[in-house]
Amino acid sequence: MLKNTLLKATEAAAKIIKENFDSAFTVFNKEGINNLVTEIDHKSEAAIIDVIKADYPDHYILSEEVGAIVQDSEYKWIIDPIDGTVNFANGIPLCCVSIGVEQAGKMILGAVYNPFINELFVAERGLGATLNDKTIRVSNKSELIKSCMVTGFPYTYLDEPNGPLQVFEKFIRKGIPVRRLGSAAIDLCWVAAGRFDGFYEHQLSAWDSAAGFIIVEEAGGKVTNLKGDPYNPYKPGLIATNGKIHDDLVRVVNGGEI
Ligand code: IPD
Ligand code: CA
Ligand code: CA
C-alpha cells in the first residue's frame, strides 16, 4: 500500500535526521551563500529513495537533491529530505521530512514529520488530515487583522512589486504577528492544525509544498497561488489559509491594504 511505504520512508529519514542532529556533519553551499545542504540531507534522501524503490521500483521520483528519477508512471513521489536545512545546520530543531505522492498530476497523499517534537502529519485525499493519528482542522478566524500569520523568505532577494518585504511590512505596521519558522512544510502543517491562520511565500519548490499542500486541504483549508488561482506545486508562489481569510490575504499579497 502506498501509505505504508510513505510512512516507512518518512520514519527511515526522520531517524537519520534525529540521530545526526548533534553530530559533526559536513555542510555544503548550493546557489547563494546561505542556501545550504548537509551530508545528512543526502543520507535522508538516500534512505527515502531506497524504501520507495524497494516497494515501487517503477514509480517516478522527484527529490530536492538528486532531482528527477524519471519513470513512465502515473505515480510521482515528491521529496524534501530535510525541509528547514538552515535550521538543521544551525542546531535549531525545527525541521522535518516531507514527502508527497501525486497520481496522474493530483496530490493524493502526504506526510510531514518533525522528529524533534515527534509530530507526524499525514493526509490522504478524501480521508482528512491527522497529527499523530488525531484528526486536525484549520482555525476558525475570519478577520485578517486578528490573525496569526507565517511566511518565509527566499535565499535570493526578490526585488519586485509586492515582494516579500513589502507584504511583510504591511503586516508588521498593523501589529499582526507574522512568524518565520524556516520550514515551509511545517508552516503548512501548522496552518492545517489551526496554529496559524495563514501562510504565504513568494518562492517555493514542489518538494517544499507537495505534502503540506494536501495536508492543509484535507484539514479544511485553502491553497492557491499568489493570485488566488488553483495551486500548481511546480510554480513558485503559494497562499494557504483556513479559507476564511483567504480572499483578504490574496488581496494584501497583491498590493491591497490591510
Ligand atoms: C526552505 C524552507 C524555508 C523556505 C525556503 C525553502 P530547505 O527549504 O522551506 O522555510 O522559506 O523557501 O527553500 O532549503 O530548508 O529545504
Ligand atoms: Ca525545502
Ligand atoms: Ca531541503
Side-chain angles (χ1 to χ4, degrees):
M1 223 174 104
L2 283 170
K3 191 174 168 187
N4 287 342
T5 306
L6 173 74
L7 296 179
K8 260 193 292 174
T10 307
E11 281 285 343
K15 190 164 179 280
I16 290 170
I17 295 173
K18 200 168 176 194
E19 278 173 4
N20 287 284
F21 187 62
D22 292 323
S23 69
F25 49 78
T26 314
V27 182
F28 309 94
N29 283 324
K30 301 208 277 192
E31 333 78 63
I33 42 170
N34 287 311
N35 188 358
L36 309 177
V37 60
T38 72
E39 63 175 301
I40 312 306
D41 292 73
H42 293 296
K43 284 189 176 152
S44 167
E45 182 171 65
I48 295 167
I49 293 175
D50 278 354
V51 172
I52 297 169
K53 279 193 165 167
D55 289 353
Y56 299 105
D58 53 358
H59 282 189
Y60 192 114
I61 291 172
L62 173 65
S63 189
E64 179 171 12
E65 312 305 338
V66 295
I69 302 173
V70 178
Q71 299 267 32
D72 184 16
S73 167
E74 64 168 344
Y75 291 98
K76 188 195 272 188
W77 296 74
I78 306 171
I79 301 163
D80 196 332
I82 300 181
D83 187 53
T85 296
V86 173
N87 285 347
F88 183 80
N90 285 285
I92 300 167
L94 250 178
C95 42
C96 63
V97 181
S98 171
I99 308 175
V101 185
E102 240 183 46
Q103 181 186 13
K106 273 210 149 88
M107 212 65 71
I108 56 161
L109 258 180
V112 171
Y113 186 25
N114 175 352
F116 302 103
I117 53 171
N118 192 30
E119 288 198 335
L120 172 66
F121 294 87
V122 180
E124 220 170 326
R125 181 66 64 202
L127 296 178
T130 56
L131 163 54
N132 294 345
D133 292 324
K134 291 204 177 92
T135 300
I136 48 170
R137 291 290 301 172
V138 291
S139 69
N140 247 324
K141 247 177 257 164
S142 54
E143 289 173 79
L144 198 55
I145 192 78
K146 293 186 182 163
S147 293
C148 184
M149 308 295 297
V150 65
T151 190
F153 301 105
Y155 293 110
T156 308
Y157 181 62
L158 268 188
D159 196 4
E160 58 184 37
N162 305 314
L165 274 182
Q166 286 97 316
V167 178
F168 186 60
E169 185 179 358
K170 278 191 273 190
F171 281 106
I172 300 313
R173 284 188 183 278
K174 293 281 180 191
I176 297 172
V178 185
R179 303 293 183 245
R180 199 287 194 236
L181 303 185
S183 161
I186 294 178
D187 297 337
L188 284 161
C189 290
W190 288 21
V191 170
R195 296 170 183 169
F196 295 126
D197 307 300
F199 167 55
Y200 64 91
E201 187 158 346
H202 288 71
Q203 207 160 57
L204 289 173
S205 298
W207 41 80
D208 301 312
S209 63
F213 162 40
I214 179 169
I215 292 168
V216 171
E217 287 196 333
E218 286 297 320
K222 186 166 177 179
V223 184
T224 66
N225 66 14
L226 295 182
K227 293 283 170 212
D229 297 324
Y231 180 59
N232 176 347
Y234 303 96
K235 298 273 171 70
L238 173 148
I239 294 181
T241 70
N242 62 6
K244 299 196 163 148
I245 62 161
H246 204 90
D247 292 348
D248 275 344
L249 182 53
V250 169
R251 198 175 45 72
V252 170
V253 166
N254 287 282
E257 288 308 316
I258 299 174

